[in-house]
Amino acid sequence: MKNKHKYEQLHPVIEKIALNIEKVIIGKRKEVTLCLVALLAQGHVLLEDVPGVGKTMMVRSLAKSINATFKRIQFTPDLMPSDVTGISIYNPKELKFEYRPGPIMGNIVLADEINRTSPKTQSALLESLEEGHITVDGATMPLPKPFMVLATQNPIEYEGTYPLPEAQLDRFLLKMKMGYPTPAEEIRVLENVAHAHPIDELYPVLSIDELLDIQKIVKKVFVDETIRAYIVEISNRTRNHPSIYLGVSPRGSIALMRAAQAYAFICDRDYVIPDDVKYLTPFVFGHRIILNSESSYKRISTEEILIDIIDHVQVPVHKEWR
């Protein structure tokens, strides 16, 4: 069973951002919308797909659309934590150490091929992903707002890679794939880049201050008590499912609620409905569970199991949702 969803009319501001990004990224409305869900929910995204399908271009387009600073970190086996966070260098004229910011000090940060670096360097991201600040030489420094990390990894080449630990995977709000374009979409891509790359002509359609205001509004999107109970029931089923070795933690439940609030706003609503939760569950929970050996041997996907769980959880009914 595929995770299908028919989009409602998008919020005018979000529609404007999506259309701007789609000048560069053709035929990826679902993926663009999910990235905007993470942005509005103040979360981070793990993009897992083969090279060349537009992951970097989508991140750059998102940054330009909101007039944000874009930073890129190419993760390699010899990358050190200080290459991510920055370093303090002694200034002999001032007779003191001065902090030189690393690439993590950006609004939109692309962590390219994150699984190619050592766990020691991967851990340098943990504090920034969860706490919104970094620590260098004992000094804690806040990260700019908004702050969002979009990390990529190649699911094909595993030689010389370091799988992300569960603690780090849990700090990504969503995990998703870009996928190949259809032949018709790929023809449009070729037309777009025939003379110049469209990203060079992309202009902001939203300011940083406007985005920060929207993020505050998203937190106020109404979540009924029955919806919260619905989220918890789905989470609890993952902890007791016979095919799952490790279920979703309370942090995952919080992430799903935050994502649902953002998605409701994107759909131009000020309240969350069960369909928001059902649609987002595979993207929010898929990377947070570990299947047991029998399920892995049978090649059962986490999406199939999550959809099975959703199908067996009673959907809350409210007069406003009918």
Side-chain angles (χ1 to χ4, degrees), residues 172-276:
F172 287 98
L173 181 73
L174 302 169
K175 179 183 177 183
M176 66 182 205
K177 298 180 180 180
M178 291 289 289
Y180 288 111
T182 65
E185 291 167 351
E186 195 163 359
I187 290 173
R188 288 182 58 196
V189 170
L190 298 182
E191 291 173 353
N192 275 5
V193 299
H195 304 290
H197 204 289
I199 198 168
D200 296 330
E201 300 178 359
L202 212 60
Y203 295 98
V205 295
L206 191 73
S207 70
I208 291 293
D209 290 338
E210 290 172 326
L211 174 62
L212 293 176
D213 289 339
I214 292 175
Q215 288 180 337
K216 293 177 182 177
I217 295 172
V218 165
K219 289 183 177 180
K220 298 178 181 178
V221 170
F222 178 69
V223 184
D224 190 80
E225 183 179 352
T226 58
I227 297 290
R228 295 197 294 269
Y230 183 51
I231 292 172
V232 171
E233 179 62 21
I234 295 173
S235 301
N236 191 58
R237 292 287 183 104
T238 67
R239 300 163 194 163
N240 300 284
H241 197 280
S243 298
I244 297 176
Y245 173 72
L246 180 66
V248 174
S249 69
R251 179 188 288 154
S253 300
I254 295 171
L256 182 54
M257 184 183 72
R258 296 297 187 204
Q261 286 178 299
Y263 189 71
F265 177 86
I266 286 173
C267 292
D268 207 10
R269 280 184 275 104
D270 60 358
Y271 57 92
V272 174
I273 61 175
D275 280 351
D276 300 334

Side-chain angles (χ1 to χ4, degrees), residues 14-58:
I14 303 304
E15 178 71 21
K16 188 162 57 173
I17 299 173
L19 290 174
N20 201 50
I21 295 174
E22 286 176 339
K23 293 177 182 177
V24 178
I25 305 299
I26 305 297
K28 297 297 178 184
R29 173 55 68 99
K30 182 186 78 172
E31 290 74 16
V32 170
T33 303
L34 288 172
C35 278
L36 292 173
V37 166
L39 179 66
L40 299 187
Q42 301 180 49
H44 311 285
V45 177
L46 181 61
L47 291 165
E48 186 178 69
D49 217 325
V50 297
V53 292
K55 299 186 295 293
T56 301
M57 283 297 108
M58 185 168 69

